[in-house]
Amino acid sequence: MENAVIYARFSSSGQNEQSIESQIRTCREFAESQGYNVVNTYSDKARTGTNDSRPSFQRMIKDARNGAFQFIIVYMFDRFARNRRDSIMYKEMLKQDYGIRVLSATQPISDDEGGEFYEMFLEWNDEKYSKRLSKRVRNGLDTSVENGTFCGGYLIYGYKIRKEPIAGKRDRYIKYVEIDEEQAEIVRYVFKEYDKGVEKKDIAAALNEKGLRLNGKPFTGKSFDKWIVNPKYTGEFYFGERFCDHTYPENIHKDLFERVKKRHAANRYIAG
């Protein structure tokens, strides 16, 4: 009986742990139908289609050298790679150097020239799909920035999310960032006191004396390190290469922010 390994991957918000399990289950059923003995399973989660950035993929390629398996089974060929150049390069290397073939559990390929041509077409189509998907994501982010909607990621202290239902779509919302006045007042206090020359540890002590807490824990001087250098508090920041000026409402005036940021940088230099 010839040995095989399974490689599974998910890389988008529309996929999850269940998609990995589903891929593996289908690949195991395929291996059983072909009489292959599955000796290992590799999976990468929330990674791109770039092979070099996937640790489990690279570990599988390294393990291929020991000759323990003759086939790599994937759910679809785009799980192996969406970049046509990478796909061809790795498949050729596996086949020529180690005698290993990449098989798809759902896209059977014949061993003749027709099968080779069909596999090339699938690789081309997967790459084009990946580029189209990437463009749609970029366009979606551009639209979100232009409309001032929340683009995702970590919501900084001092703000909260306001959800507006999307007409005709159940449990779907457009998200906007607005000021959380209770938290925002603390942020303003920290900036103003630090601008006056008060040490961060003393600011933290004053807040703790008032019974205020950060996520249920007492404030420390380090609690403010990320606050006082985060331009989102001014209402202007960059999301990747996109300039955003109406996603986060202004809580700290730019002049105050720049003074505080400059003092923080100077103190770090002295401490260093």
Side-chain angles (χ1 to χ4, degrees):
M1 180 179 291
E2 293 180 294
N3 293 335
V5 298
I6 292 171
Y7 179 72
R9 171 178 67 90
F10 74 79
S11 58
S12 73
S13 58
Q15 297 174 313
N16 51 37
E17 296 281 357
Q18 285 69 40
S19 72
I20 284 279
E21 295 173 0
S22 177
Q23 289 177 45
I24 293 174
R25 182 175 62 254
T26 301
C27 289
R28 285 192 179 279
E29 292 172 354
F30 172 79
E32 183 178 350
S33 71
Q34 299 299 310
Y36 301 141
N37 177 41
V38 176
V39 296
N40 207 345
T41 298
Y42 304 85
S43 64
D44 283 306
K45 304 173 183 178
R47 299 275 177 172
T48 67
T50 304
N51 295 357
D52 292 340
S53 68
R54 293 187 266 160
S56 289
F57 181 91
Q58 290 301 324
R59 188 168 64 253
M60 177 180 67
I61 297 300
K62 184 178 179 180
D63 292 347
R65 301 171 186 171
N66 62 26
F69 54 90
Q70 293 74 50
F71 299 98
I72 295 173
I73 302 174
V74 294
Y75 179 73
M76 296 178 67
F77 284 116
D78 68 353
R79 299 300 85 197
F80 184 77
R82 278 192 180 155
N83 182 297
R84 188 157 43 111
R85 180 184 61 83
D86 284 353
S87 180
I88 293 172
M89 181 184 71
Y90 277 102
K91 286 179 181 177
E92 188 67 19
M93 181 266 292
L94 288 166
K95 184 177 181 180
Q96 294 295 329
D97 295 351
Y98 312 122
I100 296 173
R101 285 186 60 198
V102 178
L103 304 176
S104 167
T106 60
Q107 296 169 312
I109 301 294
S110 61
D111 292 331
D112 56 18
E113 290 184 356
E116 184 178 351
F117 177 79
Y118 180 52
E119 187 171 357
M120 291 172 60
F121 167 76
L122 290 174
E123 290 170 343
W124 172 84
N125 190 58
D126 290 340
E127 183 176 50
K128 293 300 181 183
Y129 171 78
S130 181
K131 290 180 178 179
R132 290 194 298 270
L133 179 63
S134 178
K135 187 176 186 299
R136 287 200 298 270
V137 170
R138 289 196 303 271
N139 290 343
L141 290 174
D142 290 341
T143 301
S144 294
V145 169
E146 183 178 345
N147 293 337
T149 56
F150 183 56
C151 298
Y154 178 73
L155 186 69
I156 63 174
Y157 188 85
Y159 295 93
K160 59 185 178 181
I161 293 294
R162 171 172 55 86
K163 296 181 179 180
E164 292 190 2
I166 300 176
K169 295 187 178 181
R170 184 179 180 183
D171 297 328
R172 295 289 301 278
Y173 304 90
I174 298 176
K175 298 179 181 180
Y176 294 93
V177 179
E178 61 182 29
I179 289 179
D180 183 319
E181 192 54 45
E182 184 176 340
Q183 294 182 357
E185 183 59 34
I186 295 174
V187 174
R188 290 192 287 267
Y189 175 80
V190 170
F191 271 86
K192 290 176 182 177
E193 291 299 298
Y194 194 67
D195 186 45
K196 293 176 184 176
V198 181
E199 297 295 329
K200 290 183 293 183
K201 61 181 179 63
D202 295 327
I203 298 174
L207 291 172
N208 292 331
E209 286 180 7
K210 296 178 180 179
L212 299 172
R213 294 292 183 267
L214 178 62
N215 298 325
K217 298 179 180 179
F219 286 93
T220 67
K222 291 184 177 180
S223 300
F224 317 125
D225 284 344
K226 293 183 179 180
W227 296 8
I228 55 185
V229 295
N230 196 325
K232 289 179 180 178
Y233 286 115
T234 69
E236 296 183 355
F237 67 99
Y238 279 89
F239 183 74
E241 297 180 353
R242 302 169 180 84
F243 177 70
C244 306
D245 60 355
H246 57 294
T247 299
Y248 275 81
E250 178 187 314
N251 187 34
I252 302 298
H253 192 275
K254 289 180 65 175
D255 292 341
L256 173 59
F257 176 81
E258 291 300 329
R259 290 197 305 270
V260 165
K261 181 181 176 181
K262 185 176 180 180
R263 184 192 171 206
H264 181 255
N267 287 346
R268 289 189 63 182
Y269 176 79
I270 293 171

